[in-house]
mmCIF file of all heavy atoms in Angstrom:
data_model
loop_
_atom_site.group_PDB
_atom_site.id
_atom_site.type_symbol
_atom_site.label_atom_id
_atom_site.label_comp_id
_atom_site.label_asym_id
_atom_site.label_seq_id
_atom_site.Cartn_x
_atom_site.Cartn_y
_atom_site.Cartn_z
ATOM 1 N N PRO A 120 -5.896 -8.623 -4.784
ATOM 2 C CA PRO A 120 -6.428 -9.977 -4.605
ATOM 3 C C PRO A 120 -7.939 -10.084 -4.855
ATOM 4 O O PRO A 120 -8.445 -11.147 -5.181
ATOM 5 C CB PRO A 120 -6.115 -10.309 -3.145
ATOM 6 C CG PRO A 120 -5.010 -9.401 -2.765
ATOM 7 C CD PRO A 120 -5.195 -8.155 -3.587
ATOM 8 N N VAL A 121 -8.639 -8.978 -4.743
ATOM 9 C CA VAL A 121 -10.101 -8.988 -4.915
ATOM 10 C C VAL A 121 -10.512 -8.650 -6.345
ATOM 11 O O VAL A 121 -11.414 -9.275 -6.896
ATOM 12 C CB VAL A 121 -10.759 -7.985 -3.932
ATOM 13 C CG1 VAL A 121 -12.266 -7.914 -4.137
ATOM 14 C CG2 VAL A 121 -10.420 -8.337 -2.489
ATOM 15 N N HIS A 122 -9.865 -7.673 -6.967
ATOM 16 C CA HIS A 122 -10.345 -7.128 -8.242
ATOM 17 C C HIS A 122 -9.467 -7.439 -9.449
ATOM 18 O O HIS A 122 -9.880 -7.210 -10.577
ATOM 19 C CB HIS A 122 -10.519 -5.607 -8.121
ATOM 20 C CG HIS A 122 -11.514 -5.213 -7.091
ATOM 21 N ND1 HIS A 122 -12.873 -5.380 -7.269
ATOM 22 C CD2 HIS A 122 -11.357 -4.692 -5.851
ATOM 23 C CE1 HIS A 122 -13.506 -4.957 -6.190
ATOM 24 N NE2 HIS A 122 -12.613 -4.548 -5.315
ATOM 25 N N HIS A 123 -8.263 -7.945 -9.228
ATOM 26 C CA HIS A 123 -7.344 -8.252 -10.333
ATOM 27 C C HIS A 123 -7.766 -9.545 -11.018
ATOM 28 O O HIS A 123 -8.205 -10.483 -10.371
ATOM 29 C CB HIS A 123 -5.915 -8.381 -9.792
ATOM 30 C CG HIS A 123 -4.892 -8.570 -10.855
ATOM 31 N ND1 HIS A 123 -4.493 -9.807 -11.284
ATOM 32 C CD2 HIS A 123 -4.176 -7.668 -11.568
ATOM 33 C CE1 HIS A 123 -3.564 -9.667 -12.217
ATOM 34 N NE2 HIS A 123 -3.368 -8.369 -12.404
ATOM 35 N N SER A 124 -7.615 -9.583 -12.323
ATOM 36 C CA SER A 124 -7.926 -10.788 -13.095
ATOM 37 C C SER A 124 -6.639 -11.414 -13.620
ATOM 38 O O SER A 124 -5.702 -10.702 -13.998
ATOM 39 C CB SER A 124 -8.832 -10.423 -14.275
ATOM 40 O OG SER A 124 -9.006 -11.542 -15.121
ATOM 41 N N THR A 125 -6.621 -12.720 -13.650
ATOM 42 C CA THR A 125 -5.466 -13.415 -14.225
ATOM 43 C C THR A 125 -5.507 -13.376 -15.752
ATOM 44 O O THR A 125 -4.511 -13.687 -16.394
ATOM 45 C CB THR A 125 -5.410 -14.882 -13.746
ATOM 46 O OG1 THR A 125 -6.645 -15.518 -14.074
ATOM 47 C CG2 THR A 125 -5.151 -14.948 -12.248
ATOM 48 N N ASP A 126 -6.634 -12.979 -16.313
ATOM 49 C CA ASP A 126 -6.740 -12.824 -17.761
ATOM 50 C C ASP A 126 -5.807 -11.684 -18.183
ATOM 51 O O ASP A 126 -5.964 -10.546 -17.732
ATOM 52 C CB ASP A 126 -8.191 -12.488 -18.132
ATOM 53 C CG ASP A 126 -8.402 -12.344 -19.633
ATOM 54 O OD1 ASP A 126 -7.451 -11.963 -20.361
ATOM 55 O OD2 ASP A 126 -9.539 -12.590 -20.087
ATOM 56 N N PRO A 127 -4.820 -11.962 -19.036
ATOM 57 C CA PRO A 127 -3.842 -10.933 -19.407
ATOM 58 C C PRO A 127 -4.463 -9.737 -20.136
ATOM 59 O O PRO A 127 -3.855 -8.671 -20.217
ATOM 60 C CB PRO A 127 -2.843 -11.667 -20.304
ATOM 61 C CG PRO A 127 -3.528 -12.910 -20.726
ATOM 62 C CD PRO A 127 -4.556 -13.238 -19.691
ATOM 63 N N ASN A 128 -5.672 -9.890 -20.658
ATOM 64 C CA ASN A 128 -6.348 -8.778 -21.317
ATOM 65 C C ASN A 128 -7.128 -7.899 -20.333
ATOM 66 O O ASN A 128 -7.579 -6.820 -20.697
ATOM 67 C CB ASN A 128 -7.313 -9.294 -22.385
ATOM 68 C CG ASN A 128 -6.580 -10.025 -23.489
ATOM 69 O OD1 ASN A 128 -5.566 -9.544 -23.998
ATOM 70 N ND2 ASN A 128 -7.065 -11.198 -23.843
ATOM 71 N N ILE A 129 -7.290 -8.376 -19.108
ATOM 72 C CA ILE A 129 -8.095 -7.640 -18.130
ATOM 73 C C ILE A 129 -7.235 -7.128 -16.979
ATOM 74 O O ILE A 129 -7.297 -5.958 -16.638
ATOM 75 C CB ILE A 129 -9.260 -8.511 -17.604
ATOM 76 C CG1 ILE A 129 -10.200 -8.856 -18.753
ATOM 77 C CG2 ILE A 129 -10.006 -7.792 -16.485
ATOM 78 C CD1 ILE A 129 -11.313 -9.802 -18.394
ATOM 79 N N LYS A 130 -6.457 -7.962 -16.363
ATOM 80 C CA LYS A 130 -5.621 -7.635 -15.204
ATOM 81 C C LYS A 130 -6.311 -6.631 -14.269
ATOM 82 O O LYS A 130 -7.267 -6.978 -13.604
ATOM 83 C CB LYS A 130 -4.231 -7.188 -15.640
ATOM 84 C CG LYS A 130 -3.482 -8.252 -16.432
ATOM 85 C CD LYS A 130 -2.042 -7.938 -16.675
ATOM 86 C CE LYS A 130 -1.839 -6.748 -17.562
ATOM 87 N NZ LYS A 130 -0.450 -6.518 -17.937
ATOM 88 N N CYS A 131 -5.877 -5.386 -14.228
ATOM 89 C CA CYS A 131 -6.436 -4.378 -13.296
ATOM 90 C C CYS A 131 -7.509 -3.480 -13.922
ATOM 91 O O CYS A 131 -7.855 -2.446 -13.361
ATOM 92 C CB CYS A 131 -5.326 -3.514 -12.707
ATOM 93 S SG CYS A 131 -4.342 -4.391 -11.481
ATOM 94 N N MET A 132 -8.031 -3.865 -15.084
ATOM 95 C CA MET A 132 -9.038 -3.018 -15.723
ATOM 96 C C MET A 132 -10.273 -2.844 -14.842
ATOM 97 O O MET A 132 -10.837 -1.752 -14.769
ATOM 98 C CB MET A 132 -9.454 -3.546 -17.084
ATOM 99 C CG MET A 132 -10.341 -2.525 -17.808
ATOM 100 S SD MET A 132 -11.030 -3.029 -19.386
ATOM 101 C CE MET A 132 -9.726 -3.874 -20.187
ATOM 102 N N ASN A 133 -10.691 -3.905 -14.145
ATOM 103 C CA ASN A 133 -11.859 -3.785 -13.270
ATOM 104 C C ASN A 133 -11.613 -2.769 -12.150
ATOM 105 O O ASN A 133 -12.508 -2.007 -11.787
ATOM 106 C CB ASN A 133 -12.234 -5.150 -12.686
ATOM 107 C CG ASN A 133 -12.697 -6.111 -13.763
ATOM 108 O OD1 ASN A 133 -13.285 -5.711 -14.754
ATOM 109 N ND2 ASN A 133 -12.415 -7.387 -13.570
ATOM 110 N N THR A 134 -10.408 -2.759 -11.626
ATOM 111 C CA THR A 134 -10.042 -1.770 -10.611
ATOM 112 C C THR A 134 -10.151 -0.368 -11.194
ATOM 113 O O THR A 134 -10.704 0.537 -10.560
ATOM 114 C CB THR A 134 -8.611 -2.021 -10.100
ATOM 115 O OG1 THR A 134 -8.570 -3.310 -9.485
ATOM 116 C CG2 THR A 134 -8.166 -0.955 -9.115
ATOM 117 N N CYS A 135 -9.642 -0.174 -12.397
ATOM 118 C CA CYS A 135 -9.699 1.139 -13.044
ATOM 119 C C CYS A 135 -11.138 1.574 -13.302
ATOM 120 O O CYS A 135 -11.482 2.750 -13.113
ATOM 121 C CB CYS A 135 -8.897 1.120 -14.344
ATOM 122 S SG CYS A 135 -7.117 0.954 -14.096
ATOM 123 N N LEU A 136 -11.976 0.648 -13.711
ATOM 124 C CA LEU A 136 -13.388 0.977 -13.964
ATOM 125 C C LEU A 136 -14.113 1.339 -12.668
ATOM 126 O O LEU A 136 -14.920 2.277 -12.642
ATOM 127 C CB LEU A 136 -14.089 -0.178 -14.681
ATOM 128 C CG LEU A 136 -13.664 -0.376 -16.137
ATOM 129 C CD1 LEU A 136 -14.185 -1.705 -16.668
ATOM 130 C CD2 LEU A 136 -14.129 0.792 -17.011
ATOM 131 N N LEU A 137 -13.815 0.628 -11.597
ATOM 132 C CA LEU A 137 -14.416 0.973 -10.300
ATOM 133 C C LEU A 137 -13.890 2.320 -9.800
ATOM 134 O O LEU A 137 -14.643 3.117 -9.221
ATOM 135 C CB LEU A 137 -14.143 -0.123 -9.274
ATOM 136 C CG LEU A 137 -14.948 -1.408 -9.472
ATOM 137 C CD1 LEU A 137 -14.415 -2.517 -8.569
ATOM 138 C CD2 LEU A 137 -16.426 -1.166 -9.220
ATOM 139 N N ALA A 138 -12.621 2.586 -10.030
ATOM 140 C CA ALA A 138 -12.056 3.889 -9.658
ATOM 141 C C ALA A 138 -12.763 5.004 -10.427
ATOM 142 O O ALA A 138 -13.049 6.071 -9.874
ATOM 143 C CB ALA A 138 -10.557 3.917 -9.925
ATOM 144 N N ALA A 139 -13.061 4.755 -11.703
ATOM 145 C CA ALA A 139 -13.793 5.744 -12.512
ATOM 146 C C ALA A 139 -15.191 5.971 -11.950
ATOM 147 O O ALA A 139 -15.669 7.105 -11.896
ATOM 148 C CB ALA A 139 -13.865 5.282 -13.965
ATOM 149 N N LYS A 140 -15.849 4.902 -11.501
ATOM 150 C CA LYS A 140 -17.173 5.050 -10.881
ATOM 151 C C LYS A 140 -17.095 5.869 -9.596
ATOM 152 O O LYS A 140 -17.948 6.720 -9.341
ATOM 153 C CB LYS A 140 -17.788 3.683 -10.587
ATOM 154 C CG LYS A 140 -18.303 2.946 -11.803
ATOM 155 C CD LYS A 140 -18.976 1.650 -11.400
ATOM 156 C CE LYS A 140 -19.326 0.790 -12.573
ATOM 157 N NZ LYS A 140 -20.258 1.364 -13.526
ATOM 158 N N ALA A 141 -16.069 5.634 -8.805
ATOM 159 C CA ALA A 141 -15.881 6.412 -7.573
ATOM 160 C C ALA A 141 -15.641 7.878 -7.913
ATOM 161 O O ALA A 141 -16.185 8.775 -7.256
ATOM 162 C CB ALA A 141 -14.714 5.851 -6.759
ATOM 163 N N LEU A 142 -14.861 8.118 -8.939
ATOM 164 C CA LEU A 142 -14.588 9.481 -9.367
ATOM 165 C C LEU A 142 -15.869 10.165 -9.831
ATOM 166 O O LEU A 142 -16.148 11.305 -9.448
ATOM 167 C CB LEU A 142 -13.544 9.489 -10.486
ATOM 168 C CG LEU A 142 -13.212 10.857 -11.071
ATOM 169 C CD1 LEU A 142 -12.576 11.755 -10.020
ATOM 170 C CD2 LEU A 142 -12.306 10.696 -12.271
ATOM 171 N N GLU A 143 -16.645 9.484 -10.633
ATOM 172 C CA GLU A 143 -17.905 10.052 -11.108
ATOM 173 C C GLU A 143 -18.853 10.361 -9.953
ATOM 174 O O GLU A 143 -19.527 11.387 -9.959
ATOM 175 C CB GLU A 143 -18.585 9.103 -12.093
ATOM 176 C CG GLU A 143 -17.971 9.144 -13.454
ATOM 177 C CD GLU A 143 -18.166 10.469 -14.154
ATOM 178 O OE1 GLU A 143 -19.266 11.053 -14.086
ATOM 179 O OE2 GLU A 143 -17.202 10.939 -14.777
#
Side-chain angles (χ1 to χ4, degrees):
V121 177
H122 299 287
H123 185 268
S124 173
T125 56
D126 182 331
N128 297 313
I129 297 175
K130 300 190 294 187
C131 287
M132 189 184 319
N133 295 328
T134 298
C135 292
L136 289 168
L137 287 169
K140 286 184 188 299
L142 177 64
E143 282 294 318

